Amino acid sequence: MATPTITVQLTEPEQKLLQTLVYQECGMFFDERRIHFLQDRLQRRLRATGLDSFYNYYRLLTSRDGKAELAALVENLTVNETSFFRNKPQLDLFGKQTLEEVLSRKQSRRDWSLRVWSAGCSTGQEAYTIAMLIADALAYYYLRNPLPVEMPSPKPLIPPPWRVEILASDISYSVLRLGQEAVYPENHMEPVDYSYRLRYFDKVGDRYAVKKSVKDLVHFDFHNLKTEFLPQRNDIIFCRNVMIYFDEEMQKRLIEKFYRCLNPEGYLFVGHAESLFGLTDKFRMIHVNNGTAYQRIEVHS
Ligand SMILES: C[S@@+](CC[C@H](N)C(=O)[O-])C[C@H]1O[C@@H](n2cnc3c(N)ncnc32)[C@H](O)[C@@H]1O
């Protein structure tokens, strides 16, 4: 027998309860403009759980056994839109200027590790774009500079002694699974130039699989940006098109946390519609040819 369609109209106090619960769990804030979206997703979860009232559903969410349902609700509320090479001017700045500066600074200290975090990575296109740009930047760097050790044969993607680690994290398990799979349909490949497709992808039927050497640079993991625990010692953080779903208080707290988990002089990249203006004075803005990055300001005593 088909499950009857239940339509629940939330009262204002019920809306507030749900808004608060979601905010406390993941930092996403559903104001008046987005309340319909919250209502729509609630409806879907009511259908999925077979519950017939907000009261019963809220009781489930807040019960000891409700953790899985709360995660499912949050997962349904995320917007996972992403693409390869999103915001090209910013990626030009990253590939040509930021990486050049970070690589030469680290090489001068004989520090051969490069750690990048894609926070709110969705289905992985951002992390793999970063991986491809790092591989290219390293290759170009060592065209112009001597490599400190002999290049092994066959030539690896990342020249030794460099170690590149890209952490790709998200609050949604389903997007993380797709990122790990790293196989993308043709219509996701439009922003990927043929030189990148040829070097970094294998064509499998009508889909494109990220090559193993690129995949191996990226590690996918669940992480909720609302929590206090953050991966440490990052050289560069990408958190693009994630903060737009948070309110100002959460944005400020998150930027403060990013400051703390960046290495000195590290960089933060945010989305094209996002800015640190008015939220912090601990980063300097770098703006080149329409691309923007923020660099951690060091306070010397
Ligand atoms: C619009 S996508 C952005 C993807 C990619 N960064 C880009 O710019 O193309 C936003 C992602 O942030 C994730 N997200 C939202 N709230 C989060 C939180 N509290 N912790 C971690 N990830 C979160 C969502 O699941 C979603 O995949």
Side-chain angles (χ1 to χ4, degrees):
M1 207 170 71
T3 324
T5 309
I6 316 136
T7 309
V8 169
Q9 203 57 46
L10 291 183
T11 62
E12 228 178 282
E14 286 172 342
Q15 265 181 29
K16 285 234 148 41
L17 278 176
L18 194 60
Q19 269 172 329
T20 309
L21 187 68
V22 169
Y23 179 69
Q24 281 168 350
E25 181 63 19
C26 66
M28 281 193 277
F29 184 69
F30 290 86
D31 60 14
E32 280 312 307
R33 286 167 303 153
R34 299 183 66 227
I35 202 75
H36 292 294
F37 183 69
L38 183 62
Q39 174 102 25
D40 175 74
R41 297 305 146 109
L42 165 72
Q43 220 63 61
R44 287 191 194 186
R45 291 315 302 162
L46 284 173
R47 272 200 295 277
T49 52
L51 294 173
D52 59 359
S53 73
F54 174 75
Y55 175 76
N56 287 337
Y57 186 65
Y58 188 78
R59 262 184 37 154
L60 168 66
L61 288 180
T62 50
S63 70
R64 210 139 45 95
D65 300 331
K67 279 272 158 223
E69 182 49 36
L70 188 52
L73 173 66
V74 167
E75 175 130 12
N76 265 263
L77 291 171
T78 57
V79 175
N80 308 119
E81 188 191 328
T82 188
S83 60
F84 285 110
F85 293 93
R86 191 173 192 180
N87 192 347
K88 281 222 168 84
Q90 186 183 46
L91 294 173
D92 279 346
L93 168 62
F94 168 69
K96 296 192 179 118
Q97 191 169 313
T98 313
L99 281 175
E100 179 82 13
E101 192 273 312
V102 174
L103 294 179
S104 76
R105 172 158 43 85
K106 296 203 110 185
Q107 159 143 330
S108 70
R109 294 179 192 151
R110 307 189 67 72
D111 171 0
W112 308 108
S113 80
L114 181 65
R115 282 172 64 90
V116 182
W117 179 21
S118 163
C121 64
S122 189
T123 38
Q125 288 90 330
E126 179 175 88
Y128 292 127
T129 301
I130 294 168
M132 293 185 275
L133 290 172
I134 292 176
D136 279 7
L138 276 164
Y140 182 55
Y141 190 85
Y142 288 109
L143 268 184
R144 293 163 295 135
N145 298 288
L147 192 64
V149 299
E150 204 180 313
M151 180 67 91
S153 177
K155 204 167 144 188
L157 183 63
I158 301 300
W162 282 96
R163 286 184 321 278
V164 173
E165 291 171 76
I166 302 165
L167 169 65
S169 71
D170 204 281
I171 200 171
S172 159
Y173 286 104
S174 56
V175 295
L176 288 170
R177 269 194 298 276
L178 290 171
Q180 256 160 349
E181 218 175 277
V183 182
Y184 298 94
E186 178 81 46
N187 62 339
H188 287 207
M189 298 297 292
E190 191 271 321
V192 186
D193 285 351
Y194 279 89
S195 79
Y196 282 98
R197 294 192 197 193
L198 288 168
R199 286 177 300 141
Y200 297 126
F201 292 84
D202 291 315
K203 190 97 191 270
V204 183
D206 56 359
R207 303 203 301 160
Y208 286 80
V210 177
K211 277 197 195 293
K212 186 176 179 306
S213 54
V214 179
K215 239 178 121 178
D216 285 349
L217 303 180
V218 183
H219 172 74
F220 286 87
D221 210 349
F222 174 90
H223 180 268
N224 182 353
L225 289 164
K226 184 81 201 288
T227 61
E228 282 312 308
F229 163 78
L230 293 183
Q232 296 299 307
R233 293 197 300 279
N234 300 286
D235 296 299
I236 300 162
I237 297 175
F238 279 76
C239 184
R240 304 191 303 169
N241 309 299
V242 181
M243 285 197 299
I244 30 168
Y245 303 106
F246 301 158
D247 70 346
E248 193 174 312
E249 190 194 328
M250 167 84 183
Q251 290 176 354
K252 281 185 174 161
R253 259 190 280 135
L254 187 58
I255 293 162
E256 178 59 36
K257 289 193 270 183
F258 283 152
Y259 183 88
R260 280 189 268 120
C261 71
L262 271 172
N263 284 335
E265 296 172 90
Y267 290 89
L268 173 62
F269 288 85
V270 299
H272 71 284
E274 298 161 332
S275 142
L276 302 198
F277 183 75
L279 299 173
T280 179
D281 53 7
K282 292 182 163 178
F283 287 85
R284 82 169 57 86
M285 187 173 99
I286 295 159
H287 189 75
V288 181
N289 295 336
N290 287 327
T292 303
Y294 292 90
Q295 187 175 28
R296 213 183 103 126
I297 296 174
E298 302 312 314
V299 187
H300 301 286
S301 51

